[in-house]
Amino acid sequence: MGKLDGKVAVVTGGNSGIGLATAQQLVQEGAYVYITGRNQSNLDDAVKQIGKNVTAVQADVSNFQDLDNLYGAVKSQHDHIDILFANAGVVEKAPIGEITEKMFDNSFNINVKGVLFTVQKALPLFRDGGSIILNSSTQGSSGALGSSIYGATKAAVRAFARNWLVDLKSRKIRVNVVSPGPIKTVGLAAAAGASEEVQKKRLEFLSSLVPQGRLGTPVEVAKAVVFLASDDSSFVNGIELFVDGGMKQV
């Protein structure tokens, strides 16, 4: 028996990294999971890794038709949603003075607009008493070089949760935020620099900022999401759960 037996979950950006690890953990706990991603090949690989109780729907969360297709697929097979992990997002960095309109639009379209309408379009299928988890970041509440656009999008995600839990009070739908610190993913390595040597030094530097002295893993974030999705957190609502090895506490 799993903590989530019989539950139906949606994980956006579930084809890699934190999203994939979370989808795997949700299935292990008994849920049936729908995952999204923009790359069909990556989705196909993710389905093979998860192995069972999963449906992949190619979707860009900033595209309304794609979201409608996603929830159409859910409705045709299961007719409801119990858990939503709004995880899909992008990281684009540039210091003030070098930010482009294209960068701004892309970041806000996916990280803010995408999260908003991923949740809003799910609500007609959402069971009362369900759980919504939004993926933010430690950078939503702290500064870093070249991260103003990314940080602003993640601060917006945190603000969504505070307001949506009030909007959804009558339906007893909980809304919480998970905010990872530096997590060892392909995306983090790619953002660290072009060459392997630059990447290695950057990742070592990030590790040095974490009190536990290492990067986190996608599975560690996934387990936090499972906690927020399950009845283990039945009286937890509106929080920002930092999964960062203590980085934000010092």
Side-chain angles (χ1 to χ4, degrees), residues 45-102:
D45 290 342
V47 168
K48 290 177 183 177
Q49 287 185 58
I50 296 168
K52 63 177 182 178
N53 296 337
V54 59
T55 294
V57 180
Q58 187 175 14
D60 177 342
V61 296
S62 67
N63 184 295
F64 282 14
Q65 186 59 59
D66 284 2
L67 289 175
D68 290 341
N69 292 342
L70 165 64
Y71 294 125
V74 177
K75 185 175 182 179
S76 68
Q77 294 186 56
H78 285 93
D79 201 39
H80 72 275
I81 300 169
D82 300 287
I83 299 158
L84 171 61
F85 181 35
N87 164 73
V90 294
V91 180
E92 294 190 273
K93 295 191 174 185
I96 188 67
E98 297 179 18
I99 296 168
T100 66
E101 182 179 15
K102 181 179 179 181

Side-chain angles (χ1 to χ4, degrees), residues 95-110:
I96 188 67
E98 297 179 18
I99 296 168
T100 66
E101 182 179 15
K102 181 179 179 181
M103 179 187 299
F104 179 92
D105 288 345
N106 189 53
S107 294
F108 273 83
N109 278 340
I110 295 174

